[in-house]
């Protein structure tokens, strides 16, 4: 299974959605599935259990809230389709071998890696692959100890906590930075052994910058084959970041004035042009919105010392509320 392929970008009107329609055609609980994308039609013409249809509809709603990331959405649908067909094969008395779901997430900070990991964990739990579906998020400091043997124990403890769910290691490449004598190598060796000893009992997702993760995988010849799913999280465009900022404001019952959007866009363009590294950080946009909300509160209190602002004024983020510093 390969998660690479479609580059992220704003979904055009020509791109069909994966809206699933359930049509009951008999008294028995049998449903037919239609998928708008022609390449997925063949895998969804089979009869399917209604609970799996409703499951993907639930997952799809979460995916639809993510801007861009079309290649990741394609992979999630692939996994769902595979698991659904596997259930059908089992019901038909056919072999349905266990699949390996350990993953590599490559991309810059704030491109949605942790969010996608949570969605995948939730889906795999509901499809019966994982017993719990929880996400344990760690980094190098959580794995690497201070003396010989300490790292292995810390790593085994974290694997134990993640059984039935997903162990998500951010900036995983840092485990290989110290060379042969670094305790990070001990963590890697312990993780590899756990993947064999606890096979199919947890899913390991390693995440980090693309270049650094490629280097990390080259440090151990056996690593790439243990992670059959490798996903690239492309940078958000400035227009996508604007879309994200409007969604974040709307979720909090705020709206950005057109002049505020223009100011935000100009700032993001400057940040992207001045940044030494690719700039596409949704977390940065979130911080800008939350900071603007605080500034709006101060402005309104000063402006309405003896009165009450109207509902529209309480919702509106004006250009003067967006006080953005250079990073």
């Amino acid at each position: 299974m390969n998660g690479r392929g479609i580059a992220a970008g704003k979904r055009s009107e020509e791109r069909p959605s994966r809206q699933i329609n359930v049509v009951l055609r008999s008294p028995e609980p049998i449903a037919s599935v239609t998928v708008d994308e022609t390449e997925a039609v063949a895998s969804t013409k089979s009869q399917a259990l209604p609970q799996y249809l409703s499951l993907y509809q639930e997952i799809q709603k979460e995916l639809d809230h993510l801007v861009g990331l079309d290649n990741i959405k394609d992979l999630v649908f692939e996994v769902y389709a595979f698991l659904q067909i596997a259930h059908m094969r089992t019901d038909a008395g056919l072999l349905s071998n266990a699949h390996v779901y350990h993953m590599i997430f490559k991309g810059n900070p704030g491109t949605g890696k942790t969010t996608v990991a949570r969605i995948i964990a939730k889906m795999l739990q509901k499809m019966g692959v994982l017993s719990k579906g929880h996400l344990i998020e760690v980094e190098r400091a959580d794995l690497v100890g201070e003396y010989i043997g300490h790292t292995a124990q810390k790593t085994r403890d974290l694997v134990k906590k993640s059984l039935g769910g997903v162990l998500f290691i951010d900036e995983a490449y840092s485990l290989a930075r110290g060379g042969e004598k670094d305790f990070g190598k001990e963590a890697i060796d312990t993780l590899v052994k756990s993947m064999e000893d606890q096979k199919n009992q947890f899913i390991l997702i390693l995440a980090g910058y693309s270049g650094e993760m490629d280097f990390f995988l080259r440090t151990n010849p056996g690593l790439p084959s243990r992670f059959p799913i490798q996903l690239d999280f492309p940078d958000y465009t400035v227009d996508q970041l604007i879309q994200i900022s409007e969604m974040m404001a709307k979720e909090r019952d705020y709206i950005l004035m057109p002049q505020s959007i223009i100011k935000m866009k100009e700032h993001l363009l400057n940040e992207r042009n001045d940044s030494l590294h690719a700039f596409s950080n949704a977390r940065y946009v979130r911080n800008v919105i939350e900071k603007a909300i605080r500034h709006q509160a101060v402005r309104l209190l000063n402006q309405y010392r003896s009165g009450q602002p109207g509902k529209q004024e309480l919702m509106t983020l004006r250009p003067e509320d967006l006080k953005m510093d250079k990073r």
Side-chain angles (χ1 to χ4, degrees), residues 120-306:
I120 289 175
K122 179 179 179 180
M123 182 179 74
L124 293 179
Q125 186 272 327
K126 290 185 176 294
M127 295 293 288
V129 176
L130 297 172
S131 59
K132 297 178 182 177
H134 61 299
L135 182 78
I136 302 293
E137 185 177 358
V138 301
E139 55 188 18
R140 176 188 165 94
D142 301 305
L143 296 164
V144 176
E146 300 175 356
Y147 50 84
I148 296 175
H150 189 205
T151 295
Q153 187 58 52
K154 289 182 70 174
T155 304
R156 283 193 294 266
D157 289 343
L158 285 170
V159 169
K160 186 176 181 179
K161 289 181 181 178
S162 68
L163 293 181
V166 172
L167 179 59
F168 182 90
I169 304 178
D170 199 13
E171 298 183 359
Y173 52 82
S174 63
L175 294 173
R177 279 183 170 172
E180 288 294 321
K181 296 183 180 180
D182 184 70
F183 288 148
K185 184 178 182 302
E186 186 179 358
I188 296 172
D189 294 340
T190 304
L191 288 169
V192 170
K193 188 174 187 303
S194 297
M195 293 166 71
E196 291 296 326
D197 295 345
Q198 312 289 347
K199 188 173 292 184
N200 300 326
Q201 295 186 48
F202 80 108
I203 290 171
L204 180 61
I205 299 179
L206 306 182
Y209 291 102
S210 297
E212 282 84 346
M213 290 304 297
D214 288 336
F215 170 78
F216 169 74
L217 291 172
R218 290 195 297 269
T219 62
N220 187 325
L223 280 177
S225 62
R226 297 178 186 278
F227 295 91
I229 302 174
Q230 299 189 23
L231 281 173
D232 292 309
F233 284 70
D235 291 342
Y236 291 115
T237 66
V238 169
D239 285 339
Q240 286 176 331
L241 289 173
I242 291 297
Q243 186 180 349
I244 290 170
S245 68
E246 292 184 279
M247 290 173 58
M248 288 178 172
K250 183 178 180 181
E251 288 170 356
R252 295 162 172 78
D253 275 341
Y254 287 90
I255 55 174
L256 290 159
M257 291 183 67
Q259 298 91 329
S260 302
I261 294 174
I262 292 172
K263 183 175 180 178
M264 172 81 83
K265 189 170 185 177
E266 290 176 348
H267 174 74
L268 292 175
L269 284 169
N270 290 333
E271 286 294 308
R272 187 187 66 178
N273 293 334
D274 294 344
S275 178
L276 295 176
H277 303 284
F279 173 69
S280 63
N281 197 324
R283 283 179 296 203
Y284 177 79
V285 171
R286 181 194 63 201
N287 292 338
V288 169
I289 292 296
E290 291 180 350
K291 187 176 180 181
I293 290 173
R294 296 195 300 271
H295 288 154
Q296 185 238 39
V298 172
R299 174 176 60 81
L300 290 178
L301 281 182
N302 289 331
Q303 186 177 346
Y304 294 89
R305 292 181 180 275
S306 58

